[in-house]
C-alpha cells in the first residue's frame, strides 16, 4: 500500500492538497492533506467522493466514433491510431481549404492544472494557426476591474482576513464556493469582527453573517458611491493619504456627491440609514477587509462593479482581497513563444460564432476539451444549433458523455486527476502543489497532453515544445526565474507535495507598488535576472452607476415584456459547476433544477409551490418546477448553473442567459449571464421541443 500526494484540479479558489491511498494499483481512499496549511485535512463535499467518479461505470474508457445523428449519443468504439489518423486527416483537409483559422479550440477549467489545462494544447493550436479563444467567460472581467484601480489585478494573502475587525464579503458566497477561507473568517469573528455580506440573494453565507446587505441586482456601483459619499460627508476619509497614493480622487468624489445618498438608496432599494451604518462600520471598526470574488463580473457593467469595490478599499483605507491568481500568472511562464496573431473569438460568443453564415473563414473544426459548452455557455439554443451542423467536425476530449460529447464526431477518453501529472496553481491562496499520478490510466484513457502530442505528430507540425513531456513542462515552469518561485524546485515538490510562494508576508497591491516580473531573454530561468515594475499611483477617476440594458431600469420595453431578473447561481455544496451536473449522487433533492421565485411574484402569477412553470424570454424557454423562496426579493428569480440537460431535446438555464459582453471590445470580458430578463407563467400541457419551443 502507498500514499501519493496531489491536489484538486477543480475551478475553485481553494485548490486543496490531497493524499491518495493506493492498494494493488487501485485507489482506495482520498483525503485532504492534513499538513497543508490551507486545506487542513479537509476536502469539500463535492470532492470527498471523487474516487466514485474515477471508477464510475459510465466513465469513457475507449475512443468513440459517431454513428448516429448529432446529439443522439450513438457511437462505436474506434482504436487510438484510427481516431488520431481520422482527426488529423479532417484537420489537414480543413486547413488546406480554409486556412488554420477554420479550427477553433474550446476549453476552460475542466482542469486548472498548469500542465494539463493547456500548455501542449496552446502550442499545438499556435503551430496550426488556429483561431485564438479568449477564455473570458469567467474571471477576466473581474481582473480588468481590479487592474483599473491597482494597475495589475493583484490580490493579497487571504489568510490575513483572520486579523480583520470588519469583513465585507462582497458578491461572494464564501461558505459555499471558498469554504477553506471560512475558518479564517470565523477566527476573526470569534475575536470580535463584524461580518457583512453584500448580495442580492440570501445565500448560506449571508445567513451566517452579522449583517446581510441585500441591494437590488446589479446596483453595486451605486452602493459604493453612496458609501463613499457618506465617508466624504462625515469627514471619514484621510484625504492626504488618498491624494498622495492615488490619482483621480476629485473626479470620484464628484461622482459620489452627484449621485447623493438619497439616490443611492433609491437605486439600490436600501434604506439610507443602512448605507450610512455600513460606511461608518467600514471606517471605524478597523482593520477592515473587503473580499470580492468573480460572481459580480457576470453583468454588462461587471468591470465597473469590481472597479468600484477596489476603489472603495483605496478611499476608505481598507484591505482589499480578491483572486490571487495573478501571482501564478506572473511567476509561472511558459517559455515557448507562441506565434500570432490569429483571429480571436470570445468563448461566450460560441453560439454566434458557430451559426454565423458569413464568417470567413468559417469554423469547420471544433476541438473541445476541459469544458462542456452545451451546458455552460450562454445563449444555449444557438450553441446547440451550431453543434448540430453537419459540416462541423467536432472532437471532444472527455471523461464522460456530457451534453457536448453527445454532439461529437470523435470522442477521446482522457485521464482524471489521480491518473496524470500536473502542477497546480491556486487562485485563492499562495501555495503551489505537484500532483503525481497515483494509479495507471483506466482503460485506454490518455492525458490531454499526450493526446495533443499525438495529434501534433500526426499532422507533422514543427514547433518548439510540441513533444515535451509533462515533467519537462512542469520543470520549465518552475524554472521561470521569478523571485516568488525562489527555492521551489520540482524535487522539493516531489518530496513535500506543496510549497508556499515566496511572497513576502503582508504583501498587498494597495501598499506594495513594486511588482516583481519574470526574467526575460538570456536571464530567463535565473532569479538574478528578475526585474520589477512600478505600478505608480493607484487610479480612482470618475465612476458612474449605469443600469444594464437588460435590466428593470434599462430597456423599458424589454422590461415590460420580461419583468423578472434571472440569476443562474452556484447554490449546492455537492453541485457547483458542470463537473457534477450529470451525477445523481451530487444533485440536490429533488434531483431536478427548479426555479426559485418569491412569494410575491408567485402569487401575482397564480403559481404555487411545486407547480410546473414556463420560464421564457426572446432567446428561448424552458419548463421546470417552481420553488417558493424567502431568499429572494420580489422581481428576482434564480436557477442553478451547470446542470446537464442529458436528453437532446432538453434545455437548461443557459437557454435564457445573456451572451452579451460588456465594454467596448466584444472579444474581451465575461458574458452578462446575470443581466437576463425573463417572464414566468404556469405551464399547461406544454413540453419542450428540440428547438426550444413548446407544443
Amino acid at each position: 500500500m502507498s500514499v501519493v500526494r496531489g491536489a484538486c484540479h477543480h475551478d475553485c479558489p481553494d485548490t486543496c492538497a490531497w493524499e491518495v491511498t493506493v492498494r494493488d494499483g487501485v485507489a482506495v481512499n482520498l483525503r485532504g492533506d492534513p499538513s497543508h496549511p490551507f486545506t487542513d485535512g479537509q476536502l469539500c463535499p463535492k470532492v470527498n467522493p471523487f474516487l466514485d467518479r474515477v471508477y464510475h461505470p459510465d466513465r469513457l474508457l475507449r475512443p468513440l466514433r459517431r454513428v448516429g445523428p448529432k446529439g443522439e449519443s450513438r457511437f462505436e468504439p474506434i482504436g487510438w491510431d484510427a481516431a488520431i489518423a481520422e482527426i488529423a486527416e479532417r484537420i489537414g483537409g480543413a486547413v488546406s481549404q480554409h486556412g488554420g483559422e477554420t479550427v477553433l479550440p474550446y476549453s476552460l477549467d475542466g482542469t486548472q492544472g498548469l500542465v494539463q489545462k493547456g500548455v501542449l494544447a496552446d502550442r499545438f493550436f499556435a503551430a496550426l494557426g488556429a483561431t485564438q479563444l479568449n477564455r473570458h467567460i469567467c474571471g477576466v472581467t473581474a481582473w480588468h476591474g481590479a487592474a483599473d484601480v491597482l494597475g495589475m489585478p493583484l490580490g493579497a494573502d487571504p489568510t490575513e482576513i483572520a486579523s480583520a475587525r470588519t469583513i465585507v464579503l462582497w458578491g461572494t458566497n464564501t461558505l459555499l464556493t471558498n469554504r477553506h477561507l471560512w475558518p479564517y473568517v470565523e477566527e476573526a469573528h470569534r475575536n470580535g469582527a463584524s461580518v457583512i455580506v453584500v448580495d442580492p440573494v440570501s445565500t448560506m453565507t449571508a445567513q451566517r453573517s452579522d449583517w446581510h446587505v441585500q441591494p437590488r441586482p446589479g446596483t453595486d456601483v451605486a452602493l459604493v458611491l453612496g458609501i463613499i459619499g457618506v465617508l466624504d460627508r462625515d469627514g471619514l476619509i484621510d484625504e492626504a493619504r488618498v491624494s498622495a497614493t492615488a490619482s483621480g480622487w476629485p473626479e470620484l468624489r464628484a461622482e459620489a456627491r452627484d449621485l447623493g445618498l438619497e439616490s443611492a438608496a433609491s437605486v439600490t432599494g436600501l434604506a439610507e440609514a443602512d448605507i450610512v451604518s455600513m460606511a461608518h462600520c467600514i471606517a471605524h471598526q478597523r482593520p477592515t477587509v473587503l473580499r470580492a470574488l468573480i460572481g459580480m463580473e457576470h453583468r454588462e457593467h461587471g468591470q465597473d462593479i469590481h472597479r468600484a469595490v477596489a476603489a472603495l478599499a483605496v478611499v476608505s483605507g481598507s484591505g482589499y482581497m480578491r483572486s490571487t491568481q495573478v501571482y501564478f500568472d506572473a511567476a509561472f511562464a511558459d517559455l515557448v513563444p507562441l506565434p500570432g496573431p490569429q483571429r480571436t473569438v470570445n468563448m461566450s460568443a460560441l453560439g454566434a460564432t458557430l451559426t454565423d453564415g458569413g464568417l470567413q473563414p468559417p469554423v469547420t473544426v471544433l476541438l473541445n476539451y476541459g469544458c462542456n459548452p452545451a451546458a455552460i455557455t450562454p445563449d444555449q439554443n444557438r450553441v446547440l444549433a451550431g453543434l448540430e451542423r453537419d459540416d462541423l467536425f467536432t472532437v471532444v476530449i472527455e471523461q464522460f458523455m456530457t451534453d457536448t460529447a453527445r454532439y461529437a464526431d470523435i470522442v477521446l477518453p482522457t485521464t482524471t486527476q489521480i491518473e496524470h501529472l500536473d502542477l497546480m496553481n491556486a487562485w485563492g491562496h499562495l501555495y503551489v502543489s505537484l500532483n503525481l499520478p497515483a494509479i495507471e490510466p483506466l482503460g485506454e484513457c490518455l492525458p490531454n497532453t499526450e493526446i495533443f502530442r499525438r495529434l501534433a505528430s500526426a499532422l507533422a507540425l514543427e514547433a518548439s515544445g510540441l513533444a515535451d513531456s509533462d515533467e519537462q513542462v512542469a520543470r520549465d515552469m518552475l524554472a521561470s526565474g521569478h523571485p516568488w518561485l525562489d527555492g521551489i524546485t520540482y524535487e522539493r515538490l516531489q518530496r513535500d507535495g506543496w510549497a508556499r510562494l515566496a511572497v513576502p508576508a503582508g504583501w498587498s497591491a494597495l501598499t506594495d507598488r513594486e511588482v516583481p516580473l519574470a526574467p526575460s531573454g538570456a536571464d530567463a530561468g535565473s532569479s538574478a535576472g528578475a526585474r520589477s515594475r512600478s505600478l505608480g499611483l493607484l487610479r480612482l477617476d470618475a465612476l458612474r452607476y449605469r443600469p444594464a440594458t437588460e435590466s428593470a431600469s434599462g430597456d423599458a420595453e424589454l422590461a415590460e415584456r420580461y419583468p423578472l431578473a434571472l440569476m443562474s447561481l452556484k447554490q449546492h455544496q455537492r453541485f457547483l459547476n458542470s463537473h457534477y451536473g450529470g451525477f445523481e449522487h451530487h444533485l440536490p433533492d429533488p434531483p431536478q433544477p427548479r426555479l426559485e421565485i418569491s412569494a410575491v411574484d408567485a402569487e401575482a402569477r397564480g403559481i404555487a409551490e411545486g407547480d410546473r412553470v414556463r420560464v421564457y424570454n426572446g432567446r428561448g424557454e424552458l419548463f421546470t418546477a417552481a420553488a417558493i423562496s424567502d431568499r429572494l426579493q420580489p422581481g428576482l428569480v434564480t436557477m442553478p448553473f451547470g446542470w446537464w440537460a442529458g436528453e437532446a431535446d432538453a434545455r437548461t438555464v443557459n437557454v435564457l442567459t445573456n451572451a452579451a459582453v460588456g465594454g467596448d471590445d466584444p472579444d474581451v470580458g465575461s458574458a452578462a449571464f446575470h443581466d437576463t430578463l425573463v417572464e414566468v407563467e404556469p405551464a399547461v400541457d406544454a413540453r419542450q421541443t428540440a428547438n426550444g419551443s413548446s407544443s
Side-chain angles (χ1 to χ4, degrees):
M1 186 161 62
S2 62
V3 176
V4 182
R5 292 177 119 170
C8 184
H9 58 294
H10 286 320
D11 183 9
C12 168
D14 293 8
T15 309
C16 294
W18 66 31
E19 296 177 338
V20 185
T21 302
V22 180
R23 182 186 298 120
D24 297 328
V26 177
V28 296
N29 187 54
L30 178 73
R31 69 166 187 165
D33 186 340
S35 70
H36 191 278
F38 201 76
T39 302
D40 195 27
Q42 301 294 317
L43 299 177
C44 71
K46 69 179 182 293
V47 175
N48 274 320
F50 183 72
L51 296 185
D52 293 342
R53 180 187 180 95
V54 174
Y55 294 107
H56 197 286
D58 294 338
R59 176 91 183 269
L60 297 175
L61 300 178
R62 300 182 64 182
L64 301 172
R65 177 197 284 128
R66 180 173 60 86
V67 295
K70 292 188 175 186
E72 288 192 1
S73 193
R74 289 168 53 195
F75 294 91
E76 65 180 7
I78 180 177
W80 269 108
D81 289 346
I84 294 295
E86 182 171 338
I87 295 168
E89 181 182 1
R90 293 294 296 269
I91 291 177
V95 171
S96 295
Q97 182 178 358
H98 299 291
E101 290 179 342
T102 194
V103 179
L104 175 66
Y106 201 91
S107 69
L108 194 59
D109 285 334
T111 176
Q112 289 200 134
L114 291 168
V115 178
Q116 299 298 333
K117 181 178 178 178
V119 173
L120 269 295
D122 288 347
R123 296 173 184 175
F124 171 83
F125 289 114
L128 202 61
T131 293
Q132 295 180 336
L133 185 73
N134 274 355
R135 295 170 175 85
H136 291 185
I137 204 167
C138 192
V140 172
T141 293
W143 295 5
H144 281 284
D148 285 344
V149 176
L150 303 174
M152 287 181 69
L154 294 159
D157 186 344
T159 64
E160 294 182 8
I161 205 168
S163 63
R165 295 284 295 172
T166 298
I167 299 171
V168 183
L169 302 174
W170 203 305
T172 167
N173 189 358
T174 304
L175 189 58
L176 181 70
T177 63
N178 194 184
R179 62 186 296 114
H180 288 81
L181 182 66
W182 190 251
Y184 297 95
V185 176
E186 288 183 318
E187 180 182 345
H189 193 257
R190 286 193 299 270
N191 293 331
S194 297
V195 179
I196 303 171
V197 170
V198 181
D199 201 304
V201 178
S202 179
T203 63
M204 64 171 62
T205 304
Q207 292 163 13
R208 293 275 293 273
S209 68
D210 296 302
W211 184 12
H212 177 203
V213 177
Q214 195 169 12
R216 293 191 180 108
T219 62
D220 306 74
V221 171
L223 176 55
V224 167
L225 290 172
I227 292 170
I228 290 175
V230 171
L231 296 174
D232 176 38
R233 182 197 69 185
D234 296 348
L236 298 175
I237 296 173
D238 183 345
E239 297 208 32
R241 173 189 58 77
V242 173
S243 297
T245 59
S247 64
W249 165 233
E251 292 82 358
L252 178 60
R253 177 171 55 188
E255 294 284 4
R257 290 178 175 178
D258 184 58
L259 180 66
L261 179 59
E262 182 179 354
S263 292
S266 176
V267 169
T268 62
L270 299 172
E272 291 183 27
D274 286 340
I275 298 176
V276 173
S277 294
M278 188 174 174
H280 280 243
C281 188
I282 289 172
H284 292 305
Q285 294 179 209
R286 294 181 178 274
T288 296
V289 170
L290 306 180
R291 171 67 167 176
L293 283 186
I294 57 178
M296 300 180 296
E297 73 173 0
H298 293 308
R299 296 191 177 279
E300 180 180 345
H301 304 304
Q303 186 168 332
D304 284 352
I305 295 174
H306 281 272
R307 178 181 157 212
V309 176
L312 176 59
V314 173
V315 170
S316 65
S318 302
Y320 175 63
M321 293 182 179
R322 63 174 306 281
S323 161
T324 62
Q325 178 76 42
V326 73
Y327 291 132
F328 296 93
D329 288 349
F332 295 102
D334 180 7
L335 302 180
V336 177
L338 301 179
Q342 283 83 37
R343 174 177 65 190
T344 300
V345 168
N346 190 313
M347 68 183 304
S348 297
L350 179 64
T353 300
L354 294 182
T355 58
D356 183 353
L359 188 65
Q360 291 299 324
V363 172
T364 61
V365 177
L366 177 70
L367 267 71
N368 179 84
Y369 57 102
C371 193
N372 186 8
I376 66 98
T377 309
D379 200 4
Q380 188 180 64
N381 276 336
R382 281 210 285 181
V383 172
L384 297 183
L387 292 175
E388 289 172 345
R389 281 173 40 199
D390 290 332
D391 64 335
L392 178 69
F393 179 67
T394 301
V395 179
V396 173
I397 301 172
E398 254 300 349
Q399 297 164 357
F400 291 90
M401 189 56 66
T402 63
D403 287 350
T404 306
R406 297 169 64 92
Y407 291 86
D409 294 283
I410 300 286
V411 179
L412 301 177
T414 190
T415 46
T416 65
Q417 185 74 347
I418 69 168
E419 299 165 87
H420 56 229
L421 183 144
D422 217 332
L423 184 65
M424 303 307 301
N425 61 349
W427 54 277
H429 58 71
L430 298 180
Y431 295 88
V432 56
S433 299
L434 182 65
N435 181 80
L436 294 172
I439 62 173
E440 291 296 318
L442 270 61
E444 300 177 23
C445 295
L446 295 175
N448 289 349
T449 47
E450 177 59 19
I451 293 172
F452 282 103
R453 277 190 285 265
R454 293 189 183 191
L455 287 172
S457 177
L459 284 160
L461 296 180
E462 296 181 0
S464 176
L466 284 172
D468 284 359
S469 69
D470 293 357
E471 181 178 326
Q472 187 61 54
V473 171
R475 286 181 178 276
D476 287 347
M477 286 188 162
L478 289 170
S480 73
H482 195 286
W484 286 342
L485 287 173
D486 278 354
I488 303 178
T489 64
Y490 188 87
E491 286 75 18
R492 177 184 172 187
L493 293 178
Q494 268 188 312
R495 183 191 69 223
D496 299 337
W498 51 266
R500 187 188 185 277
L501 291 174
V503 178
W507 193 95
S508 169
L510 288 172
T511 54
D512 298 285
R513 305 298 290 159
E514 292 287 328
V515 179
L517 303 175
S520 62
D523 294 321
S526 169
S527 60
R531 301 166 292 125
S532 64
R533 170 186 169 189
S534 175
L535 299 179
L537 291 174
L538 296 156
R539 301 194 295 264
L540 296 174
D541 301 322
L543 177 66
R544 179 166 296 181
Y545 165 69
R546 297 177 291 167
T549 303
E550 190 165 333
S551 71
S553 301
D555 185 325
E557 182 180 349
L558 190 66
E560 184 176 358
R561 281 184 289 161
Y562 308 117
L564 299 174
L566 169 69
M567 292 179 63
S568 48
L569 304 178
K570 297 180 177 181
Q571 57 191 45
H572 193 272
Q573 295 182 64
R574 297 194 309 272
F575 172 43
L576 290 180
N577 50 39
S578 181
H579 282 289
Y580 297 103
F583 293 86
E584 183 176 352
H585 172 74
H586 288 272
L587 300 181
D589 184 22
Q592 293 87 31
R594 298 192 297 171
L595 179 86
E596 279 193 280
I597 186 170
S598 73
V600 171
D601 291 325
E603 182 178 3
R605 291 161 175 79
I607 295 169
E609 175 72 22
D611 281 358
R612 185 168 168 79
V613 295
R614 174 183 177 238
V615 190
Y616 64 98
N617 60 18
R619 298 180 191 93
E621 62 182 9
L622 57 80
F623 297 86
T624 188
I628 311 301
S629 174
D630 61 1
R631 303 195 316 145
L632 309 179
Q633 51 194 286
L636 175 64
V637 295
T638 71
M639 285 191 70
F641 172 85
W643 213 284
W644 297 7
E647 298 179 2
D649 66 347
R651 294 295 188 271
T652 67
V653 67
N654 278 327
V655 77
L656 305 165
T657 50
N658 187 355
V661 174
D664 299 327
D665 187 343
D667 291 330
V668 178
S670 306
F673 285 94
H674 295 333
D675 286 330
T676 294
L677 291 176
V678 299
E679 179 58 291
V680 180
E681 65 184 15
V684 180
D685 296 326
R687 66 178 179 85
Q688 199 163 327
T689 61
N691 64 2
S693 64
S694 61
S695 60

